Amino acid sequence: MPHATDNRPRALLAMGPGIAGRLLAERHHARLAALTRTDTRLVAHDLADPTPEVAAALAEAEVLFTCWGATPLTAPVLAAAPRLRAVVHAAGSVKHHITDACWERGIAVTSAAGANALPVAEFTLAAILFAGKRVLHSADRYRALRADHDWLAELDGTGNYRRTIGIVGASRIGRRVIELLRPFDLDVLLYDPYVGAERAAGLGVRLATLDELCARSSVVSVHAPQLPETHHLIGRAQLAAMPAGATLINTARGSLVDEDALLPELTSGRLHAVLDVTHPDPPRTSSPFYDLPNVLLTPHVAGSLGNELHRMADQALDELERFASGRPFADPVHGDALFRSA
């Protein structure tokens, strides 16, 4: 029940069609309504060409509650939102809708990237452990043989004991993968030009050059941001350096891997791959990725989906509660840090 003097901020939901219904359960709508003055059922799909109802809500909004598919917040859009002070993004990267105009205006930004990092890290952990046991190969062979077989002989040399795992990028997701790997008998190498020896020791990993990491690792997992300097970060030389039978995992961005160089390594059977992202994404219909038995190709599902979206909503609402009570965000996004983030 609103107080006689209602100081709750006005908020507007802004995201792509169909997203709000998946992101927000009834408990989220109730909490959003308690924290803000807003119509929680009004969702703005296009802030650049709004309906009259959305335009009126945008003119009064002090905070935008965004998710995937949100309209880029350009200067003209912001001009229609004179009271806007904050953007709470209930997903990971804000690069697709937070513009320079937001930073120039001094708008505070936060995202649920931490909540979205966990399912990606969990997916990666499963992929690493499955790769060490050659689970996909075993399943395919078992399906073909349909009989008893000397699996100890065929799978000699596999297993997850004292394997070396290479993590490319101590991003939020990369660090979470490292954390999840700690209980296992694995040696972890890290390549990240922004991480020094002291921080690496705190993470429990050893720093390596990219070429050294690729040459020594049974599994190389990519978690670097998509930047001009990371385009084809995993290129022909790095792929050639990987040991025969090694697995490349990419849950970051397809452009980080030179797929023209990767394909010969996969078609020959020398390397294996787990690809949740490709370039283009999805691959062309003629791409060999769909059919190669040593490739696990998934349709960009490592991140939050299903009920995992509710974790992002929970984190975003925690941040919204801080904003509504006048406290700073716990996980703010800073414009000067976006140049090296996902």
Side-chain angles (χ1 to χ4, degrees):
M1 178 78 65
H3 301 293
T5 301
D6 195 343
N7 293 320
R8 295 175 303 159
R10 293 189 181 274
L12 174 64
L13 301 178
M15 55 197 71
I19 300 299
R22 294 180 172 87
L23 176 72
L24 302 172
E26 285 302 318
R27 62 183 176 85
H28 298 121
H29 282 282
R31 190 177 177 197
L32 186 59
L35 290 171
T36 65
R37 289 178 290 162
T38 185
D39 177 0
T40 67
R41 304 297 174 175
L42 175 63
V43 182
H45 302 314
D46 187 354
L47 295 176
D49 185 21
T51 64
E53 187 180 15
V54 167
L58 181 62
E60 296 296 320
E62 297 165 77
V63 57
L64 289 179
F65 192 89
T66 64
C67 193
W68 297 314
T71 304
L73 300 178
T74 60
V77 171
L78 292 179
R83 301 184 62 190
L84 187 66
R85 294 186 288 131
V87 176
V88 175
H89 189 53
S93 176
V94 301
K95 283 187 174 181
H96 67 290
H97 71 302
I98 298 298
T99 67
D100 288 343
C102 295
W103 307 122
E104 292 165 5
R105 171 94 162 256
I107 292 172
V109 179
T110 184
S111 88
N116 192 50
L118 180 55
V120 182
E122 291 171 341
F123 178 101
T124 303
L125 173 64
I128 290 171
L129 297 178
F130 267 34
K133 296 283 282 189
R134 285 285 177 267
V135 169
L136 292 178
H137 167 81
S138 301
D140 286 343
R141 288 279 287 146
Y142 202 21
R143 184 181 300 110
L145 292 172
R146 300 172 186 252
D148 195 14
H149 184 66
D150 188 351
W151 296 108
L152 286 176
E154 178 161 335
L155 299 175
D156 188 37
T158 66
N160 286 309
Y161 181 62
R162 295 301 184 196
R163 288 284 183 191
T164 298
I165 309 301
I167 302 297
V168 179
S171 61
R172 192 186 300 262
I173 296 170
R175 295 193 304 272
R176 201 67 188 259
V177 172
I178 290 169
E179 179 183 329
L180 293 179
L181 289 173
R182 282 181 189 142
F184 301 95
D185 289 317
L186 298 166
D187 297 319
V188 181
L189 298 179
L190 171 67
Y191 167 75
D192 191 313
Y194 296 99
V195 173
E198 184 177 350
R199 187 176 171 209
L203 292 171
V205 301
R206 190 174 76 78
L207 289 177
T209 66
L210 183 58
D211 288 349
E212 179 192 2
L213 180 148
C214 290
R216 294 189 54 195
S217 300
S218 298
V219 177
V220 174
S221 190
V222 182
H223 302 286
Q226 180 175 258
L227 304 169
E229 56 267 34
T230 60
H231 181 75
H232 288 183
L233 180 67
I234 306 298
R236 194 172 303 278
Q238 290 72 38
L239 293 165
M242 290 175 64
T247 298
L248 176 71
I249 301 172
N250 190 6
T251 58
R253 292 291 185 267
S255 66
L256 273 65
V257 175
D258 182 349
E259 293 178 354
D260 288 339
L262 176 61
L263 270 171
E265 300 282 7
L266 296 176
T267 54
S268 70
R270 200 183 78 83
L271 296 181
H272 306 261
V274 178
L275 304 176
D276 190 53
V277 290
T278 55
H279 185 71
D281 197 359
R284 297 180 179 87
T285 56
S286 60
S287 173
F289 288 151
Y290 290 110
D291 300 310
L292 285 169
N294 52 335
V295 175
L296 174 60
L297 181 67
T298 53
H300 208 151
V301 295
S304 299
L305 53 79
N307 62 18
E308 293 166 341
L309 272 67
H310 295 167
R311 182 191 287 120
M312 295 196 300
D314 287 336
Q315 180 173 326
L317 285 167
D318 288 345
E319 291 286 60
L320 184 57
E321 183 173 353
R322 291 184 181 92
F323 176 81
S325 63
R327 292 177 290 155
F329 289 136
D331 199 358
V333 177
H334 299 291
D336 58 0
L338 279 181
F339 80 96
R340 58 185 177 92
S341 67

